[in-house]
Amino acid sequence: MTALMVALLVFLFSLQSLFLKLFSERYDNPDSALTSTVFSITYGVFAGVATLILAGFRFAPSPATLGLGALNAVMLFTYTAAMIQASRCGSYSFQMISVLFGGILVPMIYGALFLGEALTALQLAAVALMLVSFVLMNLRGLTLRGNSNKFLFWCLALFLSNGFYGVFMNLQQMRMNGGERNEMIILTFLGMALLYAVLQLARSPKALVSGFRMSKKPMLFLILCCCVATAAVHMMLYVLTLIDETVLYTIDNGGVLILSVLYSRLLFHEKLSRTQLLGIALAVASIVMLSL
């Protein structure tokens, strides 16, 4: 049952990436620079309000959940802002490796240093294999030549923010014994949306309103993305109570990357190189090893 839930979780997160790509490509507002702001505010408000409704408008976070939720809102805000900045000034492949490595290594190191967690030799080998597969699947265009210190700073921000987002989610569930999931989601996503709205208001209040003007097709993909992403984050917090977080994040990041590459081939007709195919094979092997 747990394996099926993890598989569904990976599928939902892969759909989130797919719908986000489709929304970004079809966003037809004259100011395309507002794409990320519009998505982040919409996603944050949608996830927070939908969770509040599902919870019957019950919202009573403990001090621990309040603190961790606020920290995670900052991590999510930092992550999205760093994604935008890094994409403007350097290698996309290196940027994605920073995201994927951070999502696995930071929770693993934190768990080993502060939570007394340890992986078996087989699990460690599987994690290492998955990291190699990330490099292979992003090898095309992978270079640091010509990239500035500013780009490296934003990649470091991506590495840490994506990693600590997972750490804080896991810590909250450990502290609350699987409770207050709704409160954690509401604080994280509404907090992130609020931070983005304040930043945009400081830049240009008019643009904050005009950015949401778009045609029906990008609006549809935006809503679909918010729906599957909200379902995924709810499921992730539950699955974290059933499986080690390093194992879960390794399978999740690897599985989403595999499906994203396959979507690119099947839906967007992008050719796969031999190194990408080898990377997919290694990622599948890693997931099998972690499932044993």
Side-chain angles (χ1 to χ4, degrees):
M1 185 63 180
T2 301
L4 289 175
M5 293 187 69
V6 172
L8 179 58
L9 180 65
V10 170
F11 180 62
L12 288 173
F13 275 124
S14 74
L15 287 181
Q16 176 186 350
S17 298
L18 175 62
F19 290 140
L20 178 56
K21 176 180 175 63
L22 292 171
F23 162 70
S24 299
E25 289 180 347
R26 288 162 175 77
Y27 180 67
D28 52 5
N29 188 281
D31 190 354
S32 60
L34 290 169
T35 306
S36 297
T37 298
V38 169
F39 168 73
S40 298
I41 293 175
T42 304
Y43 176 30
V45 171
F46 184 98
V49 172
T51 301
L52 191 60
I53 293 172
L54 290 172
F57 294 95
R58 290 187 297 272
F59 181 71
S62 64
T65 298
L66 189 62
L68 289 168
L71 285 172
N72 234 15
V74 174
M75 289 300 103
L76 193 55
F77 172 80
T78 302
Y79 171 82
T80 52
M83 283 290 284
I84 299 167
Q85 295 299 326
S87 64
R88 290 175 176 171
C89 56
S91 165
Y92 180 73
S93 295
F94 189 82
Q95 175 184 340
M96 289 310 300
I97 287 176
S98 301
V99 171
L100 296 167
F101 273 47
I104 294 174
L105 292 178
V106 172
M108 184 174 72
I109 294 170
Y110 186 92
L113 292 178
F114 300 104
L115 303 177
E117 298 174 348
L119 299 178
T120 65
L122 181 64
Q123 289 172 327
L124 286 171
V127 170
L129 198 62
M130 184 65 80
L131 296 177
V132 172
S133 78
F134 290 165
V135 175
L136 291 175
M137 281 189 272
N138 289 280
L139 193 59
R140 185 184 299 169
L142 180 60
T143 179
L144 283 177
R145 185 177 301 171
N147 290 314
S148 64
N149 291 333
K150 178 181 177 181
F151 173 71
L152 295 177
F153 169 80
W154 287 117
C155 285
L156 177 61
L158 281 171
F159 178 89
L160 294 174
S161 60
N162 193 39
F164 277 106
Y165 173 85
V167 168
F168 293 146
M169 282 291 193
N170 183 57
L171 279 177
Q172 190 274 335
Q173 285 299 277
M174 290 179 63
R175 293 275 185 91
M176 297 295 108
N177 295 316
E180 297 187 18
R181 285 194 290 269
N182 292 328
E183 283 84 352
M184 184 63 175
I185 292 170
I186 292 167
L187 287 166
T188 296
F189 287 91
L190 282 182
M192 182 268 292
L194 179 61
L195 288 171
Y196 250 104
V198 169
L199 179 63
Q200 188 57 48
L201 283 171
R203 290 174 174 172
S204 173
K206 291 182 179 179
L208 179 61
V209 177
S210 63
F212 289 89
R213 295 171 186 161
M214 67 190 84
S215 61
K216 292 181 180 179
K217 187 166 287 187
M219 179 65 74
L220 174 62
F221 288 128
L222 178 58
I223 293 172
L224 288 173
C225 183
C226 290
C227 288
V228 296
T230 300
V233 74
H234 276 270
M235 181 171 286
M236 185 184 73
L237 279 176
Y238 176 70
V239 175
L240 275 171
T241 64
L242 306 175
I243 186 173
D244 179 87
E245 76 271 17
T246 300
V247 173
L248 175 61
Y249 294 146
T250 301
I251 293 174
D252 179 50
N253 282 281
V256 170
L257 185 57
I258 290 171
L259 290 177
S260 296
V261 171
L262 293 178
Y263 292 154
S264 296
R265 178 68 184 94
L266 297 174
L267 301 178
F268 305 107
H269 308 293
E270 297 179 6
K271 292 184 178 180
L272 300 182
S273 66
R274 291 182 179 179
T275 53
Q276 285 178 310
L277 291 172
L278 177 59
I280 291 174
L282 292 181
V284 171
S286 173
I287 291 172
V288 171
M289 291 166 67
L290 290 169
S291 301
L292 295 177

